[in-house]
Amino acid sequence: MHHSRRQFIKSATGLTALGLLSQEVLATTFLKKTQMQLGLCTYLWGKDWDLPTLLANCEKTGVLGIELRVEHAHKVEPNLSAADRLEVKKKFADSPVKFIGMGTNGQYDFPDQEKLKSAIESTKAYIKLSHDCGGSGVKVKPNGFHDGIPHEKTIEQIGRSLNELGKFAADYGQQIRLEVHGNETQELPNIKAIMDVATEKNVAVCWNSNPEDLIGKGLEYNFNLVKDRFGDTVHVRELNIGDYPYQQLITLFVKMNYKGWILLECRTQPADLVAAMVEQRKVFEQMVATGMKS
């Protein structure tokens, strides 16, 4: 017999209540109803793996997307030749793991205009690199305000820089992903103010799961300030460590039908990283299932 998805979910829920279906199977069932996926940002986890090891471990754990942080052991950097870039692209194409893009340290808050120009040119190099290797975007960040410089001036400068990069990136089919980052700049009203200036359509917000997300009127209010500008990536830490309200966050993404990548940017250093990635995937799947039922 062919049952509708709704009937199957209902039946699966009932079986779980009877103890006849595992929570993991039910979570997987609910995941089929969302296009949100779990990936890895090579912040600490994966930073010491070369690219073949990184791809193999992500495939093994079911964490099937990677944002490559710069200056790590994978050595995907702008100094790669055209042939090297094609080889990186081929490695991803031959794997079930998707190359999401580059995680850079590009920042545009410098009072020194020469430093600002250098930062913009550096980001353009990473935009080309991401394109050549098959990625879809580049993560950048504001890094804070400066003494003696009005906040409004810094916000305007960051926004204008993002517009310049957005126009450049559009020619390469790339998204500019502004990480919610930096002393005070990571407060969501300030991110919204930057994005009000950065009107290029391929400039987007990368939620970063900071404690500051909870200040003021709380998580949902701050989430809603920028939800219309979310890009393809979200950063989270370990989903089952600490007191950040990850279940509430995942539920908010489920409710808005988010279709991007939830990227693990983990901070602990477990002895067995592969086992830790599997654990985080299972926690993520259960949180999505809970969000779907909310």
Side-chain angles (χ1 to χ4, degrees):
M1 294 178 65
H2 297 286
H3 297 285
S4 70
R5 177 170 289 179
R6 180 176 293 180
Q7 288 172 319
F8 181 77
I9 295 293
K10 184 177 180 180
S11 299
T13 305
L15 286 169
T16 298
L18 294 172
L20 300 177
L21 190 66
S22 73
Q23 285 294 318
E24 186 173 348
V25 171
L26 182 60
T28 302
T29 300
F30 276 100
L31 275 172
K32 292 177 180 177
K33 294 186 66 179
T34 178
Q35 296 181 54
M36 193 162 55
Q37 299 181 74
L38 186 69
L40 177 69
C41 167
T42 59
Y43 170 60
L44 291 180
W45 292 14
K47 71 180 178 67
D48 297 321
W49 293 337
D50 62 18
L51 189 56
T53 303
L54 189 56
L55 291 171
N57 287 341
C58 282
E59 181 176 358
K60 188 184 303 182
T61 59
V63 178
L64 299 180
I66 303 175
E67 180 182 273
L68 295 175
R69 285 289 290 262
V70 300
E71 300 172 358
H72 284 178
H74 53 72
K75 297 182 179 178
V76 179
E77 297 290 343
N79 63 357
L80 291 183
S81 68
D84 290 336
R85 295 174 187 221
L86 285 175
E87 183 61 26
V88 171
K89 188 174 183 178
K90 184 178 186 301
K91 281 184 169 66
F92 276 100
D94 291 342
S95 164
V97 181
K98 185 178 180 62
F99 176 37
I100 299 167
M102 299 301 303
T104 78
N105 295 312
Q107 64 183 84
Y108 319 105
D109 51 272
F110 296 111
D112 185 324
Q113 295 302 292
E114 289 304 313
K115 287 185 178 180
L116 173 62
K117 289 178 183 178
S118 178
I120 289 173
E121 291 307 308
S122 174
T123 303
K124 289 179 179 178
Y126 279 108
I127 289 168
K128 293 177 181 178
L129 177 67
S130 178
H131 167 268
D132 294 346
C133 295
S136 61
V138 172
K139 185 272 294 182
V140 299
K141 60 188 181 183
N143 212 40
F145 295 117
H146 298 267
D147 292 341
I149 308 294
H151 289 189
E152 294 77 12
K153 182 175 181 178
T154 300
I155 286 169
E156 179 75 19
Q157 177 176 296
I158 294 171
R160 285 189 287 103
S161 300
L162 292 170
N163 280 332
E164 178 180 343
L165 289 166
K167 290 176 182 176
F168 182 87
D171 291 337
Y172 293 88
Q174 300 293 297
Q175 185 178 74
I176 300 298
R177 297 156 180 163
L178 184 73
E179 185 178 42
V180 180
H181 182 87
N183 182 30
E184 292 189 78
T185 51
Q186 65 192 345
E187 295 176 17
L188 272 303
N190 289 327
I191 294 293
K192 181 184 184 302
I194 291 170
M195 297 304 291
D196 286 345
V197 177
T199 54
E200 288 295 312
K201 63 181 181 181
N202 64 325
V203 176
V205 170
C206 173
W207 188 268
N208 199 40
S209 305
N210 305 310
E212 288 78 7
D213 302 342
L214 312 182
I215 65 176
K217 297 183 180 180
L219 179 67
E220 186 169 4
Y221 175 85
N222 288 325
F223 181 93
N224 288 335
L225 285 178
V226 295
K227 66 180 288 188
D228 292 340
R229 299 296 302 275
F230 285 144
D232 295 338
T233 59
V234 171
H235 289 170
V236 296
R237 257 53 74 185
E238 293 84 344
L239 294 166
N240 55 347
I241 295 177
D243 55 5
Y244 189 92
Y246 280 115
Q247 182 60 69
Q248 183 187 2
L249 178 69
I250 295 298
T251 298
L252 287 170
F253 277 113
V254 168
K255 294 301 183 184
M256 69 171 284
N257 195 29
Y258 182 67
K259 297 178 174 63
W261 289 89
I262 307 297
L263 301 177
L264 295 168
E265 189 184 31
C266 297
R267 293 174 175 172
T268 57
Q269 299 190 40
D272 188 338
L273 283 176
V274 170
M277 288 169 64
V278 171
E279 178 187 31
Q280 289 303 308
R281 178 180 57 76
K282 291 179 178 180
V283 173
F284 170 72
E285 289 171 354
Q286 188 57 52
M287 284 186 169
V288 172
T290 299
M292 295 293 293
K293 292 184 290 183
S294 298

